[in-house]
Amino acid sequence: MFDNVLIANRGEIALRIQRACRELGLKTVAVYSEADADARYVRLADEALCIGPASPAQSYLNRAAILFAAHVSGAQAIHPGYGFLSENADFAAEIEAAGLVFIGPDAQTIRTMGDKVAAKRAMRAARVPCVPGPDGGLSDDPTEILRVAEEIGYPVIVKAAGGGGGRGMRVVLGADQLLDAVSVTREEARRAFGKPELYMEKFLEHPRHVEIQVLCDTHGNALWLGSRDCSLQRRHQKVLEEAPAPGIDAGLIRQVGERCVQACRQTRYRGVGTFEFLYENGQFYFIEMNTRLQVEHPVTEMTSGIDIVREQIRVAQGHALSIRQSDIRTLGHSLECRINAEDPFTFMPCPGRVAVWELPGGNGVRIDSHMTGSALVPPYYDSLIAKIITHGATRDEALARMRVALSEVRVEGIRTNVPLHQAVLDDDAFRAGEVDIHHLERWLANRKQT
Ligand code: ADP
């Protein structure tokens, strides 16, 4: 049990976590870099400690400084948020070794899920459907590599076991390109992730990105909270998300959800997590598990009525989940637009000082943002400055609310991607639902030509 939580993150998620802690009556410790000294959540925290200069390596990724801040402030638990150290198994292990609570799964689980080959093997063992391809890593032997690809059938994708952030993978269309692609990807994996291990699987050509949110306590209870569709991506980065995933048979989603919680029980998973799938031709294929809170968690909160961050903190305190699977209903539809400080056409980040900051509100509109009227968007971090989330009885109602909400946004001093979201909401294919993961890039390419 703990009553003082250090939040090892910044931006909107630092405020989101702080709010959940305060609702639970817990004290909060904000840690911040010199660039974030004036942030609202720093001011609102019970205690705030500067952990270093602006550069992430010296502040938000500085494990020793964060642990020291926990020690000095008397915090008994650390919430890592998303990004930064949230999926760093060594950090989780250090926190536990210091006698503190890491608000997330144990270090070994983070390590296993961070290794995509090990994760896939664990999921196959739990009968979670995976992308066709062998469970193990790729051999060094050229004949064997060619044989594996032949068996899977082209196109195949060669991926780094330790890869992340959409890097360390290569699509191969035919045998003539395979061996070169394997050696380039191996070298890249060695350099970028410090681990040359690769694996190979079938390349799916028109999948959607559909994910399942899970929530597990330490008493053997595991729940799945519905599906999300995050197919609208640019360079593997999600732009707009929704819940539930439109147009997929509820019975099929239930089957997959049940497999996910079964896998959680088998691995004694603790906390919140997301099973990411590609969905094509009526089939789900597991690609990876994220062992942390995700940016897009609010759309699930809006449709399930469950406060995911609050439950995450409570299970870390050792409480048993009070909800049962049969209590969980998906009500209506929710959309989330990620508002970034960036040019809506070139996608160049646009840091700077905000001059005007007017955000929408009203029935079915939720704003998650740490920004204020004169806040500074520093150039050192991710450009996410707000999330606009809408909820409606139907997808059309949530879309209509989003359109009105975006029309009310007035931000001056910096550029944002609001015009991009507005244009996407007017796209007929998106409005119809069920677009694949390449849709946004195709749409952007057409936009350039016209
Ligand atoms: P990362 O951890 O780098 O995000 P993922 O394994 O989640 O890597 O894959 C990122 C993205 O790459 C997916 O969302 C999808 O767009 C694409 N991708 C990955 N595996 C496949 C596959 N087998 N077929 C088609 N696309 C894939």
Side-chain angles (χ1 to χ4, degrees):
M1 202 50 120
F2 51 80
D3 57 18
N4 194 351
V5 179
L6 182 147
I7 300 164
N9 215 299
R10 64 175 302 282
E12 69 86 20
I13 200 64
L15 182 56
R16 169 72 188 90
I17 296 163
Q18 188 185 90
R19 284 175 172 149
C21 290
R22 293 166 68 194
E23 276 181 42
L24 287 166
L26 306 174
K27 288 218 168 81
T28 59
V29 179
V31 290
Y32 61 95
S33 76
E34 284 165 10
D36 286 327
D38 296 327
R40 176 154 65 129
Y41 53 88
V42 170
R43 205 169 60 235
L44 289 171
D46 293 296
E47 196 171 343
L49 294 162
C50 181
I51 47 166
S55 143
Q58 292 177 278
S59 51
Y60 300 107
L61 292 171
N62 185 343
R63 293 172 358 213
I66 294 168
L67 275 162
F68 186 64
H71 179 69
V72 171
S73 62
Q76 303 134 323
I78 298 185
H79 196 308
Y82 52 65
F84 294 122
L85 295 168
S86 60
E87 289 180 298
N88 187 310
D90 293 339
F91 183 55
E94 283 162 11
I95 291 171
E96 306 231 325
L100 308 176
V101 176
F102 176 75
I103 303 183
D106 61 58
Q108 189 48 46
T109 304
I110 299 175
R111 198 162 279 129
T112 304
M113 294 305 161
D115 176 335
K116 293 183 180 180
V117 171
K120 199 168 169 183
R121 197 177 299 127
M123 291 307 148
R124 277 246 166 88
R127 298 179 48 232
V128 172
C130 294
V131 185
D135 276 346
L138 203 54
S139 126
D140 283 330
D141 172 14
T143 325
E144 177 59 13
I145 296 172
L146 285 159
R147 189 195 65 74
V148 171
E150 213 54 59
E151 198 175 300
I152 296 172
Y154 293 96
V156 297
I157 182 166
V158 177
K159 300 170 77 171
R167 293 182 313 145
M169 42 192 164
R170 207 155 257 101
V171 180
V172 182
L173 302 178
D176 53 327
Q177 307 162 5
L178 183 63
L179 297 177
D180 282 347
V182 167
S183 56
V184 175
T185 313
R186 210 186 278 288
E187 197 40 44
E188 193 175 282
R190 196 193 317 271
R191 264 186 287 115
F193 314 113
K195 194 161 118 174
E197 191 183 13
L198 302 181
Y199 67 109
M200 199 195 297
E201 60 188 25
K202 179 82 185 162
F203 177 68
L204 304 172
E205 292 179 71
H206 304 288
R208 288 165 59 186
H209 176 117
V210 178
E211 54 187 39
I212 303 277
Q213 172 76 55
V214 294
L215 169 61
C216 312
D217 66 18
T218 47
H219 303 267
N221 300 305
L223 303 172
W224 65 280
L225 308 183
S227 64
R228 292 189 286 256
D229 191 315
C230 314
S231 299
L232 269 196
Q233 301 182 1
R234 178 178 170 270
R235 300 201 174 157
H236 299 306
Q237 297 294 314
K238 296 165 188 169
V239 173
L240 189 161
E241 303 97 344
E242 58 186 301
I248 304 181
D249 176 62
L252 177 60
I253 293 189
R254 190 177 334 110
Q255 252 177 35
V256 176
E258 282 165 6
R259 289 279 163 80
C260 295
V261 294
Q262 191 54 37
C264 290
R265 285 195 197 98
Q266 277 184 21
T267 56
R268 295 179 185 277
Y269 191 83
R270 172 183 88 198
V272 302
T274 299
F275 287 75
E276 293 194 334
F277 293 92
L278 296 176
Y279 173 82
E280 189 175 78
N281 299 330
Q283 304 271 345
F284 278 85
Y285 302 97
F286 171 81
I287 44 171
E288 69 168 338
M289 180 173 196
N290 289 317
T291 54
R292 55 170 166 83
L293 186 64
Q294 286 195 278
V295 178
E296 60 271 25
H297 76 276
V299 291
T300 302
E301 296 186 323
M302 302 308 279
T303 48
S304 68
I306 294 168
D307 185 323
I308 293 173
V309 184
R310 178 191 145 99
E311 294 304 322
Q312 180 188 28
I313 297 166
R314 281 179 49 81
V315 299
Q317 286 181 312
H319 293 292
L321 286 165
S322 53
I323 343 157
R324 280 185 308 253
Q325 190 68 52
S326 54
D327 300 329
I328 298 168
R329 302 258 178 285
T330 298
L331 273 182
H333 203 95
S334 180
L335 299 167
E336 173 182 277
C337 288
R338 296 189 186 197
I339 309 302
N340 295 332
E342 67 186 16
D343 185 282
F345 291 95
T346 63
F347 298 96
M348 283 290 284
C350 292
R353 187 160 306 274
V354 172
V356 174
W357 181 253
E358 280 179 22
L359 286 193
N363 191 12
V365 178
R366 164 176 167 181
I367 307 291
D368 278 22
S369 175
H370 59 297
M371 298 289 291
T372 54
S374 59
L376 186 69
V377 181
Y380 315 102
Y381 316 110
D382 189 275
S383 58
L384 182 72
I385 49 170
K387 302 188 303 205
I388 301 181
I389 302 123
T390 60
H391 184 246
T394 60
R395 186 171 188 264
D396 281 344
E397 191 169 278
L399 279 168
R401 287 196 169 136
M402 187 61 86
R403 224 170 271 122
V404 174
L406 290 172
S407 75
E408 289 178 16
V409 176
R410 210 178 126 227
V411 178
E412 286 174 19
I414 56 168
R415 270 165 290 164
T416 74
N417 62 348
V418 167
L420 172 74
H421 284 295
Q422 286 177 308
V424 166
L425 290 187
D426 278 339
D427 168 50
D428 288 338
F430 175 70
R431 274 168 39 188
E434 308 182 41
V435 298
D436 71 26
I437 57 172
H438 307 297
H439 181 76
L440 181 60
E441 302 255 15
R442 270 195 309 262
W443 181 89
L444 287 167
N446 285 334
R447 180 179 75 165
K448 270 188 206 123
Q449 284 161 15
T450 51

